[in-house]
Amino acid sequence: MDVLGALIPLILMFAIFYFLLIRPQQKRQKKVQQMHASLQKGDRIITIGGLHGTIDAIDENRVVVDVDGSNKLTFDRQAIREVTNQD
């Protein structure tokens, strides 16, 4: 009975840790992966460095971003922070 009394606080701490830290992080990561998978040419994006532009070309791992109509930069797909298309 004494062992059970020692395990209950550990189990409760793990449950709290899971629901406050692990689960929300997994949800955020899944959302980012879905956003990266749905990128397409013409999307207006912001990179993790804060660069705003429009996707000009895209392949499996890289994205070519048109910055101001004449400058194009190549980024890894994971460097895209968000899509800012106006719906």
Tab-separated table of all heavy atoms in Angstrom, residues 26-52:
chain	number	residue	atom	x	y	z
A	26	GLN	N	2.664	18.847	-29.648
A	26	GLN	CA	2.369	17.922	-30.735
A	26	GLN	C	1.314	18.500	-31.671
A	26	GLN	O	1.407	18.359	-32.895
A	26	GLN	CB	1.895	16.576	-30.187
A	26	GLN	CG	2.990	15.750	-29.563
A	26	GLN	CD	2.468	14.475	-28.925
A	26	GLN	OE1	1.292	14.367	-28.578
A	26	GLN	NE2	3.347	13.493	-28.759
A	27	LYS	N	0.313	19.180	-31.119
A	27	LYS	CA	-0.728	19.802	-31.944
A	27	LYS	C	-0.144	20.916	-32.804
A	27	LYS	O	-0.464	21.029	-33.987
A	27	LYS	CB	-1.848	20.360	-31.064
A	27	LYS	CG	-2.795	19.324	-30.542
A	27	LYS	CD	-3.926	19.980	-29.790
A	27	LYS	CE	-4.974	18.988	-29.387
A	27	LYS	NZ	-6.121	19.618	-28.739
A	28	ARG	N	0.722	21.761	-32.211
A	28	ARG	CA	1.363	22.838	-32.978
A	28	ARG	C	2.221	22.265	-34.097
A	28	ARG	O	2.198	22.763	-35.224
A	28	ARG	CB	2.221	23.710	-32.061
A	28	ARG	CG	1.455	24.780	-31.335
A	28	ARG	CD	2.398	25.756	-30.660
A	28	ARG	NE	3.219	25.100	-29.645
A	28	ARG	CZ	2.915	25.025	-28.365
A	28	ARG	NH1	1.811	25.575	-27.919
A	28	ARG	NH2	3.715	24.412	-27.525
A	29	GLN	N	2.988	21.223	-33.791
A	29	GLN	CA	3.865	20.616	-34.785
A	29	GLN	C	3.052	20.013	-35.934
A	29	GLN	O	3.419	20.148	-37.098
A	29	GLN	CB	4.728	19.546	-34.117
A	29	GLN	CG	5.822	19.011	-34.994
A	29	GLN	CD	6.753	18.078	-34.228
A	29	GLN	OE1	6.477	17.699	-33.093
A	29	GLN	NE2	7.846	17.706	-34.847
A	30	LYS	N	1.940	19.376	-35.630
A	30	LYS	CA	1.090	18.797	-36.673
A	30	LYS	C	0.501	19.896	-37.559
A	30	LYS	O	0.436	19.756	-38.781
A	30	LYS	CB	-0.024	17.970	-36.036
A	30	LYS	CG	-0.874	17.230	-37.033
A	30	LYS	CD	-1.882	16.342	-36.345
A	30	LYS	CE	-2.701	15.592	-37.377
A	30	LYS	NZ	-3.674	14.703	-36.751
A	31	LYS	N	0.093	21.011	-36.954
A	31	LYS	CA	-0.460	22.130	-37.713
A	31	LYS	C	0.579	22.721	-38.665
A	31	LYS	O	0.282	23.025	-39.820
A	31	LYS	CB	-0.972	23.194	-36.740
A	31	LYS	CG	-1.698	24.328	-37.393
A	31	LYS	CD	-2.239	25.284	-36.344
A	31	LYS	CE	-2.919	26.470	-36.995
A	31	LYS	NZ	-3.404	27.426	-36.006
A	32	VAL	N	1.818	22.856	-38.198
A	32	VAL	CA	2.896	23.395	-39.037
A	32	VAL	C	3.197	22.433	-40.187
A	32	VAL	O	3.383	22.863	-41.330
A	32	VAL	CB	4.161	23.674	-38.191
A	32	VAL	CG1	5.371	23.927	-39.070
A	32	VAL	CG2	3.922	24.852	-37.267
A	33	GLN	N	3.218	21.127	-39.915
A	33	GLN	CA	3.466	20.149	-40.970
A	33	GLN	C	2.373	20.187	-42.033
A	33	GLN	O	2.658	20.089	-43.221
A	33	GLN	CB	3.580	18.742	-40.372
A	33	GLN	CG	4.861	18.506	-39.622
A	33	GLN	CD	4.897	17.157	-38.926
A	33	GLN	OE1	3.864	16.512	-38.740
A	33	GLN	NE2	6.083	16.737	-38.514
A	34	GLN	N	1.123	20.359	-41.615
A	34	GLN	CA	0.023	20.461	-42.575
A	34	GLN	C	0.158	21.722	-43.418
A	34	GLN	O	-0.094	21.703	-44.621
A	34	GLN	CB	-1.319	20.455	-41.847
A	34	GLN	CG	-1.687	19.116	-41.265
A	34	GLN	CD	-2.950	19.176	-40.421
A	34	GLN	OE1	-3.398	20.240	-40.002
A	34	GLN	NE2	-3.534	18.015	-40.165
A	35	MET	N	0.570	22.832	-42.790
A	35	MET	CA	0.757	24.076	-43.527
A	35	MET	C	1.875	23.921	-44.553
A	35	MET	O	1.722	24.327	-45.700
A	35	MET	CB	1.076	25.217	-42.550
A	35	MET	CG	1.198	26.587	-43.192
A	35	MET	SD	2.872	27.083	-43.627
A	35	MET	CE	3.708	27.031	-42.083
A	36	HIS	N	2.990	23.297	-44.176
A	36	HIS	CA	4.097	23.086	-45.110
A	36	HIS	C	3.671	22.176	-46.260
A	36	HIS	O	4.071	22.397	-47.400
A	36	HIS	CB	5.298	22.490	-44.398
A	36	HIS	CG	6.038	23.466	-43.551
A	36	HIS	ND1	6.891	23.085	-42.556
A	36	HIS	CD2	6.060	24.826	-43.533
A	36	HIS	CE1	7.399	24.150	-41.976
A	36	HIS	NE2	6.893	25.217	-42.539
A	37	ALA	N	2.866	21.172	-45.982
A	37	ALA	CA	2.426	20.245	-47.022
A	37	ALA	C	1.459	20.902	-47.996
A	37	ALA	O	1.371	20.497	-49.153
A	37	ALA	CB	1.776	19.020	-46.388
A	38	SER	N	0.730	21.926	-47.568
A	38	SER	CA	-0.278	22.545	-48.430
A	38	SER	C	0.229	23.798	-49.136
A	38	SER	O	-0.551	24.488	-49.790
A	38	SER	CB	-1.531	22.877	-47.614
A	38	SER	OG	-1.245	23.891	-46.667
A	39	LEU	N	1.527	24.108	-49.024
A	39	LEU	CA	2.065	25.282	-49.719
A	39	LEU	C	1.923	25.103	-51.227
A	39	LEU	O	2.095	24.010	-51.750
A	39	LEU	CB	3.550	25.471	-49.375
A	39	LEU	CG	3.879	25.925	-47.964
A	39	LEU	CD1	5.391	25.901	-47.755
A	39	LEU	CD2	3.333	27.302	-47.689
A	40	GLN	N	1.622	26.199	-51.904
A	40	GLN	CA	1.514	26.150	-53.358
A	40	GLN	C	1.944	27.477	-53.965
A	40	GLN	O	2.021	28.488	-53.277
A	40	GLN	CB	0.105	25.784	-53.785
A	40	GLN	CG	-0.982	26.644	-53.192
A	40	GLN	CD	-2.346	26.067	-53.492
A	40	GLN	OE1	-2.527	25.429	-54.512
A	40	GLN	NE2	-3.292	26.283	-52.610
A	41	LYS	N	2.246	27.439	-55.244
A	41	LYS	CA	2.702	28.619	-55.962
A	41	LYS	C	1.657	29.725	-55.852
A	41	LYS	O	0.457	29.482	-55.974
A	41	LYS	CB	2.957	28.273	-57.434
A	41	LYS	CG	3.517	29.410	-58.222
A	41	LYS	CD	3.831	29.000	-59.642
A	41	LYS	CE	4.364	30.205	-60.399
A	41	LYS	NZ	4.786	29.843	-61.742
A	42	GLY	N	2.126	30.944	-55.576
A	42	GLY	CA	1.232	32.089	-55.453
A	42	GLY	C	0.852	32.424	-54.022
A	42	GLY	O	0.297	33.486	-53.770
A	43	ASP	N	1.146	31.529	-53.069
A	43	ASP	CA	0.848	31.816	-51.662
A	43	ASP	C	1.725	32.948	-51.162
A	43	ASP	O	2.919	32.989	-51.446
A	43	ASP	CB	1.098	30.583	-50.785
A	43	ASP	CG	0.013	29.536	-50.878
A	43	ASP	OD1	-1.057	29.848	-51.435
A	43	ASP	OD2	0.237	28.417	-50.392
A	44	ARG	N	1.131	33.871	-50.420
A	44	ARG	CA	1.896	34.922	-49.751
A	44	ARG	C	2.330	34.353	-48.409
A	44	ARG	O	1.518	33.833	-47.662
A	44	ARG	CB	1.046	36.166	-49.581
A	44	ARG	CG	0.651	36.755	-50.947
A	44	ARG	CD	-0.194	37.978	-50.817
A	44	ARG	NE	0.632	39.004	-50.183
A	44	ARG	CZ	0.148	40.065	-49.566
A	44	ARG	NH1	-1.146	40.247	-49.495
A	44	ARG	NH2	0.952	40.958	-49.024
A	45	ILE	N	3.640	34.453	-48.111
A	45	ILE	CA	4.190	33.795	-46.930
A	45	ILE	C	5.080	34.745	-46.133
A	45	ILE	O	5.478	35.805	-46.620
A	45	ILE	CB	4.992	32.525	-47.308
A	45	ILE	CG1	6.084	32.815	-48.356
A	45	ILE	CG2	4.078	31.460	-47.865
A	45	ILE	CD1	7.426	32.998	-47.750
A	46	ILE	N	5.386	34.313	-44.901
A	46	ILE	CA	6.378	34.963	-44.062
A	46	ILE	C	7.336	33.874	-43.605
A	46	ILE	O	6.909	32.817	-43.148
A	46	ILE	CB	5.742	35.641	-42.834
A	46	ILE	CG1	4.721	36.691	-43.278
A	46	ILE	CG2	6.819	36.291	-41.961
A	46	ILE	CD1	3.948	37.303	-42.114
A	47	THR	N	8.648	34.129	-43.742
A	47	THR	CA	9.635	33.147	-43.313
A	47	THR	C	9.904	33.294	-41.819
A	47	THR	O	9.491	34.277	-41.201
A	47	THR	CB	10.960	33.313	-44.069
A	47	THR	OG1	11.544	34.558	-43.708
A	47	THR	CG2	10.752	33.230	-45.572
A	48	ILE	N	10.641	32.346	-41.241
A	48	ILE	CA	10.974	32.431	-39.822
A	48	ILE	C	11.894	33.610	-39.544
A	48	ILE	O	11.982	34.069	-38.417
A	48	ILE	CB	11.604	31.122	-39.290
A	48	ILE	CG1	12.842	30.745	-40.081
A	48	ILE	CG2	10.594	30.004	-39.263
A	48	ILE	CD1	13.585	29.543	-39.537
A	49	GLY	N	12.545	34.138	-40.571
A	49	GLY	CA	13.393	35.321	-40.428
A	49	GLY	C	12.630	36.618	-40.595
A	49	GLY	O	13.204	37.700	-40.455
A	50	GLY	N	11.341	36.532	-40.931
A	50	GLY	CA	10.519	37.717	-41.063
A	50	GLY	C	10.411	38.264	-42.477
A	50	GLY	O	9.842	39.331	-42.691
A	51	LEU	N	10.927	37.546	-43.469
A	51	LEU	CA	10.865	37.996	-44.858
A	51	LEU	C	9.477	37.732	-45.430
A	51	LEU	O	8.958	36.616	-45.315
A	51	LEU	CB	11.912	37.257	-45.693
A	51	LEU	CG	11.958	37.694	-47.144
A	51	LEU	CD1	13.015	38.774	-47.284
A	51	LEU	CD2	12.266	36.536	-48.034
A	52	HIS	N	8.877	38.737	-46.036
A	52	HIS	CA	7.564	38.602	-46.664
A	52	HIS	C	7.766	38.424	-48.163
A	52	HIS	O	8.590	39.099	-48.763
A	52	HIS	CB	6.720	39.853	-46.425
A	52	HIS	CG	6.345	40.053	-45.000
A	52	HIS	ND1	5.041	40.049	-44.581
A	52	HIS	CD2	7.089	40.249	-43.895
A	52	HIS	CE1	5.012	40.251	-43.271
A	52	HIS	NE2	6.252	40.373	-42.831
